[in-house]
Amino acid sequence: MKIKSICCIGAGYVGGPTMAVIAQKCPDIKVTIVDLNESRIAAWNDSNLENLPIYEPGLADVITDARGRNLFFSTDVDKAIDEAQMIFISVNTPTKNYGVGKGMAADLKYIELCARQIARVSKHDKIVVEKSTLPVRTAEAIKNILDNTGNGVQFQILSNPEFLAEGTAVQDLHNPDRVLIGGENEEAISALFDIYSNWVPKEKILTTNVWSSELSKLTANAFLAQRVSSINSISELCEKTGADVSEVAKAIGMDARIGSKFLKASVGFGGSCFQKDILNLVYIAKSYGLHEVADYWEQVIIMNDHQKNRFSQNIIKTLYNTVSGKKIALLGWAFKKDTNDTRESAAINIAQNLISEQANIAVYDPKVSEKQIKLDLLDLDEKQMDLINVSQDPYEACSNSHAIAILTEWDEFNTYDWKKIYNNMLKPAFVFDGRNLLDKKQMIEIGFTYIAVGSSNL
Ligand code: NAD
Ligand code: UGA
């Protein structure tokens, strides 16, 4: 079967870039991305590419290539479903915040709504592709809904989890380490295989059974997050012993069996998926009675929470046990560089901790808007909100501050005139580098008291 028309439900961080690249690489396929969120769709259709809803290096070029040619963004979900031979489900699957599995299981209500809508609208046979990250055996539930509520048309379900990382999404999509397709039906698998093989080498397209594919996605994120928690746990030990975590990471990373990636100690991992997917894995393990497995993976989250809290506690302790009334500049709010995404960013937790100690917070991030920062802090009361100031200028954010905390590893932070920043701060001037980003020697020479994650001043 040759696919000529695709619909993707969900125009978010995954649906948008993933489908834009498919449209770019397959000019013969009409790709329509739909979403219920009207302002998001309007932003994807905005002629000014600065207004795209997602900041990703290289994305504007992909959109320029394909939009209006064979790539379309729309809020007309029914029409796009009806017209498509293949439908990707790319909606959000957040942690459930109510009922059974609250705080752990994935909330599949958006997935179920999509399945019911596809069943209601479809008049011709379709391939339905799970692009969202889902608990193992979700395909069974989707199939059940489609088969029992549809108009008698045939649906084939495939699992095709996405492995892109934000900030490098376009690069990851153009040149993936692998593409994973889980399914039973040979014809459906080969239809999706043919789409990817337009630009991905065939040996990198892996086919498995559906359940392996679903579980591989959760496992990949759990392993990646585990590496970050592992190095962060060692960072605390480094601070006590005089070892330097960057040196330890380099030394162990040169062992080909360990590998050098994902060994950067930090303020703690953030992002919409690591925590959510591990909690989901823990929940699934528990539901099968595998308590040791569940406890093993839960520890990755416990360590991450500890890392975020100990970073803010260290600021408070170092500033003579009180930050009340003191200005602290936070450089970076996004959960990593080169994205405007702030979901589960460590910065949120750190800001909340400092504000609960009555610090005055000045935030600067090159890509995150003031509106988003304030939305992230909605839990604060009105009085606490007054303690937050968002600045468009990093020098202004740092001016007259007692301390600066580097929370995101934006490249531009390394290009600042740190001498000028130092001169405009209260003394002693503290820098807490949560990303090991700046040049320690240079910062100390300027006069800063420089405190980096995972290295002591012993
Ligand atoms: P997102 O919140 O950015 O986007 C999801 C979109 O789906 C939203 O715009 C929402 O309005 C829309 N939506 C929800 N229900 C809908 C419905 N019934 N009809 C139409 N639109 C609907 O989420 P995301 O970051 O793109 O993540 C989507 C999925 O991909 C999740 O399962 C996530 O775990 C997975 N994933 C995310 C990433 C990432 O880097 N963000 C990477 C790999 C996998
Ligand atoms: C992650 C995975 O890398 C993707 O493969 C996956 O598709 C995606 O989750 C998902 O399922 O959503 P992402 O969260 O976008 O991608 O970004 P990462 O580069 O993995 O970083 C996650 C967090 O870990 C960030 O806060 C980052 O700063 C932190 N991190 C990462 C470290 O603290 N140290 C490291 O060495 C690496």
Side-chain angles (χ1 to χ4, degrees), residues 16-58:
T18 312
M19 294 301 128
V21 167
I22 291 186
Q24 183 194 36
K25 298 291 185 184
C26 312
D28 296 338
I29 303 178
K30 180 181 175 190
V31 180
T32 307
I33 312 180
V34 290
D35 204 295
L36 298 173
N37 183 332
E38 289 178 11
S39 60
R40 210 166 207 184
I41 290 297
W44 280 114
N45 280 323
D46 201 306
S47 55
N48 181 355
L49 294 169
E50 294 275 310
N51 295 335
L52 291 180
I54 290 172
Y55 171 71
E56 269 299 335

Side-chain angles (χ1 to χ4, degrees), residues 9-15 34-37 40 77 90-93 110 113-114 117 131-133 162-164 166 217 272-273 276-277 343:
I9 309 180
Y13 282 86
V14 166
V34 290
D35 204 295
L36 298 173
N37 183 332
R40 210 166 207 184
V77 183
S90 210
V91 301
N92 37 329
T93 49
Y110 305 108
L113 281 171
C114 289
Q117 191 163 6
K131 183 53 104 179
S132 299
T133 302
E162 185 48 59
F163 295 100
L164 69 79
E166 290 177 30
K217 173 63 197 175
S272 62
C273 293
K276 155 179 93 68
D277 292 348
R343 290 177 290 179

Side-chain angles (χ1 to χ4, degrees), residues 71-87:
L71 175 66
F72 303 93
F73 295 91
S74 164
T75 50
D76 194 342
V77 183
D78 281 2
K79 181 164 177 269
I81 291 174
D82 181 37
E83 285 176 0
Q85 295 162 282
M86 181 178 273
I87 300 168

